[in-house]
Amino acid sequence: MVILLVATTTDPASINPANALLAMPGWTPGPSLQGIKSFANQQVRLLQQDKGIVEEDHLDVRWEEATGEVVDEIIFFSKHTAVSNRPALTVHPIGVPHLLEGEVPPQGGKPGWAAPPNPRIGPWLRLLKKIAQSYNLVPEFEITLEGTHHGPVTDKLAMFVEIGSTEEYWKRLDAAKVVAQLVWEGLGLGGEPAVGNWSRDVAKKKVLLGIGGGHYAPRHMDIVQKDDVWVGHLLSGYCLPMEDPSQSKAEANRAVVGGAWKQAIEVAFKTTKSAFPSGDIMAHLDHKSFKSWQKNAITAFLAEQNIKIGRPNDFL
């Protein structure tokens, strides 16, 4: 089993962390994959491609076919953009589970798809904050989760690590070093135990499936910053398209609330469950982000699907 790291030369927030990581000990040149350079270090393979980071679908399958090495997980380096332009270091799962067949994903992926969320997301968010603090990047840089979004398509455990939010910060070499150090420590390349490995034997098995709220998942972040909380998919409000029922909102129920929200929840839950075998997966709702008819429909649907709802204290 190998772990793929993916960087693109078209993005300084992607290639700079890759180069910083390659400057650390143990790397050797690997085989080329359809013009994509690779480097190897223990069980890790770093790929340097020349296309946009969301454009290269099925890199895991292509690597397996070319090398015979089975890919266990895939981690992407990328820039982050935000209207606020605030400097940030982010991690997030990927997918567009709310899009219907025929809709065109704006940033890669395919309608109704989400990759299994990499179990490292929660533990690495906490590790990222510690490393960023050691580099004196906090409070200048916000350390945060993002909601599930964009491609590329893979069915392996996946996550993005991003530097934002403008060209000035994408090029920051200290931020690149923080991301490189995160991967170095997080994957145990320096000889210490890796961070965020899930197994059926982990003591704390509670996994947060975020539902609702803004893109940066502030209500979910409050919980995930505590130790031993695992993170599944994070469905922001825009990933839960719900059609306001025509009759009285007081009478609304799951049967009459249209939109792709049910599909998004089903896909997010299924892929989160596959990423955390034997995990105790609980939906955490950002209650204040929903109108009453929306919350009623969602909670009824979760009950119907036998998806538990967790309050903040349930994750401790």
Side-chain angles (χ1 to χ4, degrees), residues 58 60-61 72 74 110 113-116 152-158 274:
H58 304 298
D60 52 299
V61 175
D72 189 41
I74 185 165
K110 61 182 180 180
W113 157 87
V153 176
T154 177
D155 290 321
K156 302 294 185 178
L157 302 170
S274 73

Side-chain angles (χ1 to χ4, degrees), residues 51-241:
K51 292 184 179 179
I53 198 72
V54 300
E55 295 177 31
E56 290 279 11
D57 290 338
H58 304 298
L59 273 173
D60 52 299
V61 175
R62 291 152 59 189
W63 182 262
E64 290 175 355
E65 291 174 347
T67 66
E69 294 182 332
V70 176
V71 175
D72 189 41
E73 57 187 280
I74 185 165
I75 299 167
F76 300 87
F77 302 145
S78 177
K79 65 185 177 185
H80 171 67
T81 58
V83 175
S84 68
N85 291 335
R86 181 175 179 181
L89 298 170
T90 79
V91 293
H92 70 84
I94 61 173
V96 283
H98 61 296
L99 295 185
L100 298 173
E101 193 67 38
E103 293 186 276
V104 179
Q107 293 178 296
K110 61 182 180 180
W113 157 87
N118 195 314
R120 300 188 194 279
I121 291 171
W124 278 29
L125 174 76
R126 298 185 288 269
L127 178 59
L128 177 59
K129 186 172 184 178
K130 291 177 183 176
I131 296 172
Q133 288 172 332
S134 74
Y135 276 76
N136 295 317
L137 290 189
V138 177
E140 180 186 11
F141 280 74
E142 182 179 12
I143 314 301
T144 184
L145 293 168
E146 293 183 71
T148 298
H149 67 305
H150 68 60
V153 176
T154 177
D155 290 321
K156 302 294 185 178
L157 302 170
M159 65 182 288
F160 264 62
V161 183
E162 301 187 357
I163 300 172
S165 299
T166 64
E167 188 168 3
E168 173 189 353
Y169 298 104
W170 300 336
K171 293 180 177 180
R172 283 273 293 265
L173 295 182
D174 52 356
K177 289 178 181 178
V178 166
V179 172
Q181 190 67 31
L182 171 70
V183 174
W184 181 261
E185 293 184 25
L187 296 182
L189 290 174
E192 296 295 320
V195 176
N197 283 338
W198 173 267
S199 77
R200 294 177 183 272
D201 302 322
V202 296
K204 299 287 184 77
K205 297 190 175 186
K206 294 178 179 179
V207 183
L208 182 146
L209 173 65
I211 297 181
H215 182 68
Y216 298 99
R219 298 290 178 272
H220 310 315
M221 275 285 295
D222 290 343
I223 296 171
V224 174
Q225 292 187 77
K226 298 180 174 69
D227 288 339
D228 299 322
V229 178
W230 301 88
V231 180
H233 276 295
L234 300 166
L235 298 178
S236 302
Y238 61 81
C239 272
L240 297 163

